[in-house]
Amino acid sequence: MNILVFVEIRDGRIKRSSLEALSEARRTAGKLGGRVAAALVGEGVRAHAEALGQHGAAQVYVTESPRLKYYAPEAYARAVVEAHKKWGAGAIFMAATSMGRDLAGGVGALLGTSAAADCTGVLVDGGRILARRPVYAGKAYATVAFRKAPAILSLRPNVFPIEEPGGAAAVEELAPAFEESDFRSAVRELTASVQGKVELTEASVIVSGGRGLKGPEHFVLRDELAAALGAAVGASRAVVDNGWRPHSEQVGQTGKTVSPNLYVALGISGAIQHLAGMRTSKVIVAVNKDPDAPIFKAATYGIVGDVFEVVPALTAQLKKVLGG
Ligand SMILES: Cc1cc2nc3c(=O)[nH]c(=O)nc-3n(C[C@H](O)[C@H](O)[C@H](O)COP(=O)(O)OP(=O)(O)OC[C@H]3O[C@@H](n4cnc5c(N)ncnc54)[C@H](O)[C@@H]3O)c2cc1C
């Protein structure tokens, strides 16, 4: 079975989570005796085709136009469907970023098939692809089979390892016949909320703060620990609702879903809605003064203590060990 992967470009770079999706597609296609193609959509994106070949794509379909500079849901979906028709894919993978989750539904609608969002595992069973994905805010996992082809899967960032087997992809330019209706909604401008910092959903280390930090002025504790670790910063909904931190930092069911190698929760109780956004993190460290806080059930390492004592000591020690 051949697989097509939609590859997202942001700020002139291939998104890491797209390379993860490409790598997983290659592993899955390998089990099914197929090959992998990538779809690049945007303006000036052709330059990335070579790197995709090195990451295992046998073919790259490029759809370029100045009108595609920013994400236009209908037009991007049409471009992916065009690539799918060329490649004859039995499955279409993409990263479960904001764009990927949106696009998966659009492509599914155009092809009359279904999409499984935010998958954390891809299984092969009797020549079929099955998707494993969290349900009930991550309390359980469902294994999803697809009634119709192509199966569409968006893959959770930071879950699937990247491989770079080397190789060169054949490149073909596609020019779908776009209609005005394909541009009914379009992004006009992107404004980075926090410049120069690591993006939350792709970060390998995240330090998050909750209501236990007591006020916006104390988030400097979180930020200093994050700086020592080279980490991105997150927050619980309680502090976002209080206006202490922007919603772009919120982790959880109604915020971002993250899966870093290390997640540090400072003064966060560990409500189910928060856990929904971070429980697949590989290592979870929690600092909370309440030994019965639910976060400790999810934590790999727990420190029962006051954030105002523990965090400065931790930051100082990390600076000593890691330098900086
Ligand atoms: C539909 C819905 C969606 C939601 N979506 C989200 C979501 O996306 N993300 C999210 O986070 N929440 C979400 N929530 C809210 C969630 O239920 C919790 O209310 C929220 O996560 C609590 O945030 P918190 O842990 O910072 O605050 P609290 O629950 O108030 O916990 C503060 C913690 O800090 C500890 N603490 C206090 N002082 C100190 C100190 N000095 N040192 C150390 N520890 C201390 C306390 O022991 C406590 O455990 C949602 C709720 C609903 C109903």
Side-chain angles (χ1 to χ4, degrees):
M1 180 196 292
N2 286 340
I3 299 178
L4 176 71
V5 181
F6 168 73
V7 172
E8 201 173 323
I9 307 296
R10 176 61 68 87
D11 297 331
R13 291 169 57 183
I14 301 172
K15 277 210 138 195
R16 200 186 144 75
S17 48
S18 290
L19 293 179
E20 293 166 8
L22 182 59
S23 297
E24 186 59 17
R26 194 179 144 268
R27 286 187 286 271
T28 308
K31 291 177 200 158
L32 293 162
R35 295 187 312 153
V36 174
L40 279 171
V41 184
E43 188 189 35
V45 290
R46 193 187 204 284
H48 300 290
E50 197 183 322
L52 298 178
Q54 280 158 12
H55 282 88
Q59 172 80 48
V60 178
Y61 296 107
V62 180
T63 308
E64 284 198 305
S65 157
R67 294 191 83 183
L68 299 169
K69 179 175 179 193
Y70 294 128
Y71 180 50
E74 288 100 338
Y76 270 54
R78 192 174 294 282
V80 172
V81 167
E82 198 75 10
H84 161 68
K85 281 191 207 146
K86 285 271 179 180
W87 190 239
I92 303 176
F93 286 14
M94 56 195 77
T97 56
S98 313
M99 189 198 290
R101 288 176 195 229
D102 187 72
L103 185 65
V107 172
L110 284 180
L111 293 172
T113 175
S114 48
D118 203 22
C119 303
T120 53
V122 180
L123 315 167
V124 170
D125 177 43
R128 305 185 298 169
I129 286 182
L130 303 176
R132 197 172 142 79
R133 54 183 304 272
V135 290
Y136 301 119
K139 274 262 173 193
Y141 285 90
T143 303
V144 182
F146 298 86
R147 285 219 176 88
K148 284 168 111 184
I152 301 176
L153 290 81
S154 67
L155 308 190
R156 181 175 287 196
N158 269 339
V159 172
F160 300 93
I162 293 178
E163 282 173 349
E164 196 174 344
V171 180
E172 184 176 344
E173 305 223 359
L174 301 180
F178 290 118
E179 293 161 17
E180 256 335 286
S181 59
D182 289 326
F183 294 93
R184 271 183 300 208
S185 59
V187 177
R188 292 263 170 262
E189 192 188 354
L190 285 181
T191 315
S193 57
V194 201
Q195 286 205 337
K197 288 206 182 164
V198 192
E199 191 184 313
L200 202 50
T201 50
E202 301 217 327
S204 65
V205 183
I206 295 174
V207 181
S208 282
R211 194 146 51 186
L213 282 167
K214 304 281 193 256
E217 67 280 15
H218 297 135
F219 273 72
V220 63
L221 288 181
R222 176 200 68 168
D223 295 349
E224 282 174 359
L225 177 57
L229 287 166
V233 291
S236 70
R237 176 163 163 178
V239 310
V240 172
D241 285 352
N242 280 352
W244 298 355
R245 298 305 311 162
H247 182 260
S248 56
E249 289 181 7
Q250 186 181 314
V251 172
Q253 192 178 315
T254 44
K256 298 211 162 99
T257 304
V258 299
S259 204
N261 291 329
L262 172 63
Y263 187 88
V264 184
L266 307 175
I268 293 180
S269 59
I272 173 114
Q273 297 90 354
H274 188 82
L275 296 178
M278 44 62 77
R279 71 188 322 155
T280 53
S281 305
K282 278 113 201 146
V283 173
I284 298 171
V285 175
V287 183
N288 197 304
K289 67 176 185 186
D290 174 7
D292 297 322
I295 191 76
F296 288 130
K297 290 214 177 84
T300 324
Y301 301 100
I303 302 173
V304 179
D306 189 328
V307 282
F308 295 97
E309 289 167 19
V310 174
V311 180
L314 203 55
T315 305
Q317 197 59 33
L318 281 168
K319 276 189 185 161
K320 255 195 231 157
V321 177
L322 302 172

